[in-house]
Amino acid sequence: MKKILVIGALGQIGSELTAAFNTRYGTGNIIVADINDDTNRLFPNNVFEKIDVTDMATIEQAIVRHGVDTVVNLAAILSATGEKNPDLAWDININGLLNVIRLGIKHRLDRVMVPSSIAVFGPQSVLYNTPQETVLTPNTMYGVTKVVGELLGDYYFKKTGLDFRGIRYPGIISNKTMPGGGTTDYAVEIFYEAVKNNRYTCFLSSESCLPMMYMPDCVRATVALLEADRSRLRHCGNYNVGAMSFTPEVLAGEIKKHLPDFTIDYQPDFRREIARYWPASVDDSAARSDWGWQPEWNIENMVADMLQAVREKCR
Ligand code: NAD
Ligand code: SER
């Protein structure tokens, strides 16, 4: 793992994971790529490649030009946007993924990482302490693409030895880059509305309980799995990872401890139906035993940290 190409590096997770990679592996070893230009100059000291993940030739040129041996593909259409444009979700999430897999095999890459999601689960899944191995019948196109992605990673690992790795991220909470069209986005938006207006109208219902994770844990988990010894990994792209679980009501209550006048009301939309069939919590014992996963952030310290960071941003 000497040269890492991060595709989708300017998104919610990429913008912080890439910064962590720069610190850990050296800026000169991280190639930043996205379909959008790096106009915000998030990564002024990295080589930047404008790449559409559905265009295999541009990915291959970057791999060859920079001697890339590891690809982390974060380019995706998330759950809510995917329901509005399922064809686009399929194209980017599956055809993009297949491009990365094919190039990984062709160029004998050291490893390839593509995240999965709690969206792989659905109405037939056990929704509390959801096992890693269970029935996967998602009812969103996003979830369908994530199940197929996991299966493709597993298939090509067995057939070709391609070292494919992935985590089923829960909803990720962060304060550097806004989330990009998911069902769990409320758990980020709420902090901005709390700080700016002391009130928030939530698009989920008060009791929609979902697993969540603060970005520092997301980055640690991703690095830990990326660096893990392959011989210790019993799975490829489908590791459950948990950190905290809460409903909008519980999150609002925690925010109220810091902002006593904060209020929340509810206007559930189609995203409530997506959340209804996602787990409330996941069994991440495989991640714990295979690569030492252990979360460090809970709802209390996450809320305190988020409020401080968002206050500073909004000043
Ligand atoms: P995001 O939407 O914030 O970022 C995606 C990035 O990909 C953006 O910078 C976008 O410009 C880029 N992109 C979009 N289409 C592209 C294309 N055709 N070619 C190249 N780049 C393209 O997403 P994120 O939240 O950072 O998610 C990263 C990964 O993690 C995705 O696979 C997502 O499914 C997964 N995930 C995220 C969460 C979460 O809560 N954020 C939860 C579970 C899984
Ligand atoms: N945060 C993501 C979404 O809501 C979960 O994969 O789409």
Side-chain angles (χ1 to χ4, degrees):
M1 211 173 57
K2 296 195 178 87
K3 273 267 161 89
I4 305 177
L5 172 66
V6 187
I7 306 174
L10 304 184
Q12 186 195 6
I13 294 174
S15 58
E16 300 206 40
L17 188 61
T18 305
F21 283 174
N22 279 344
T23 305
R24 196 166 178 87
Y25 308 120
T27 305
N29 297 317
I30 310 300
I31 316 303
V32 171
D34 205 286
I35 197 165
N36 289 325
D37 290 316
D38 189 8
T39 44
N40 295 329
R41 306 305 294 150
L42 271 177
F43 301 112
N45 299 318
N46 289 80
V47 170
F48 178 78
E49 293 281 357
K50 184 164 176 155
I51 285 178
D52 179 344
V53 76
T54 64
D55 176 3
M56 184 145 76
T58 58
I59 309 172
E60 184 162 31
Q61 281 158 17
I63 288 174
V64 172
R65 189 180 302 130
H66 303 293
V68 166
D69 65 2
T70 299
V71 175
V72 176
N73 175 30
L74 303 170
I77 298 297
L78 277 75
S79 58
T81 309
E83 286 312 278
K84 291 180 185 155
N85 197 340
D87 291 347
L88 182 68
W90 180 268
D91 192 28
I92 292 177
N93 299 7
I94 295 301
N95 294 328
L97 169 88
L98 273 170
N99 284 341
V100 169
I101 285 178
R102 287 180 182 130
L103 291 170
I105 296 165
K106 180 176 174 186
H107 292 278
R108 293 194 169 79
L109 296 186
D110 189 31
R111 63 201 68 180
V112 162
M113 179 175 267
V114 186
S116 186
S117 162
I118 51 166
V120 295
F121 302 111
Q124 273 81 38
S125 310
V126 178
L127 295 182
Y128 290 88
N129 201 29
T130 303
Q132 181 148 316
E133 305 288 353
T134 187
V135 179
L136 302 178
T137 52
N139 56 1
T140 60
M141 180 53 87
Y142 175 66
V144 169
T145 65
K146 290 298 179 184
V147 173
V148 174
E150 289 182 2
L151 292 172
L152 287 170
D154 200 42
Y155 174 83
Y156 283 107
F157 173 65
K158 287 179 184 141
K159 288 283 172 184
T160 71
L162 177 73
D163 188 346
F164 184 95
R165 303 177 183 208
I167 288 172
R168 287 175 181 155
Y169 290 135
I172 303 300
I173 300 168
S174 68
N175 51 60
K176 298 278 185 306
T177 303
M178 291 304 278
T183 299
T184 57
D185 295 10
Y186 93 85
V188 176
E189 290 172 8
I190 192 171
F191 288 97
Y192 289 85
E193 292 305 310
V195 166
K196 286 191 224 156
N197 303 317
N198 234 349
R199 61 182 310 280
Y200 178 62
T201 300
C202 185
F203 57 74
L204 299 185
S205 60
S206 61
E207 80 284 1
S208 303
C209 188
L210 293 170
M212 299 280 180
M213 181 178 282
Y214 199 30
M215 185 60 89
D217 271 345
C218 171
V219 168
R220 270 193 326 107
T222 309
V223 168
L225 178 58
L226 198 57
E227 292 183 357
D229 188 344
R230 177 78 245 178
S231 65
R232 296 199 51 192
L233 302 180
R234 290 170 293 160
H235 304 272
C236 288
N238 66 347
Y239 276 102
N240 279 358
V241 283
M244 60 186 100
S245 288
F246 51 74
T247 64
E249 192 174 18
V250 168
L251 179 58
E254 194 59 38
I255 291 172
K256 252 174 120 54
K257 290 182 190 168
H258 300 262
L259 299 170
D261 296 332
F262 174 68
T263 59
I264 186 166
D265 63 348
Y266 300 91
Q267 285 178 18
D269 64 18
F270 72 101
R271 289 169 283 190
R272 176 185 186 234
E273 289 309 302
I274 297 177
R276 187 196 287 266
Y277 299 110
W278 285 1
S281 56
V282 295
D283 172 2
D284 59 5
S285 47
R288 288 175 190 250
S289 63
D290 288 10
W291 44 276
W293 169 239
Q294 185 69 51
E296 289 181 352
W297 291 81
N298 56 37
I299 186 170
E300 288 86 10
N301 55 19
M302 177 275 290
V303 166
D305 201 64
M306 275 296 286
L307 282 173
Q308 191 184 340
V310 172
R311 270 195 202 107
E312 277 166 24
K313 252 182 120 172
C314 294
R315 220 181 252 156

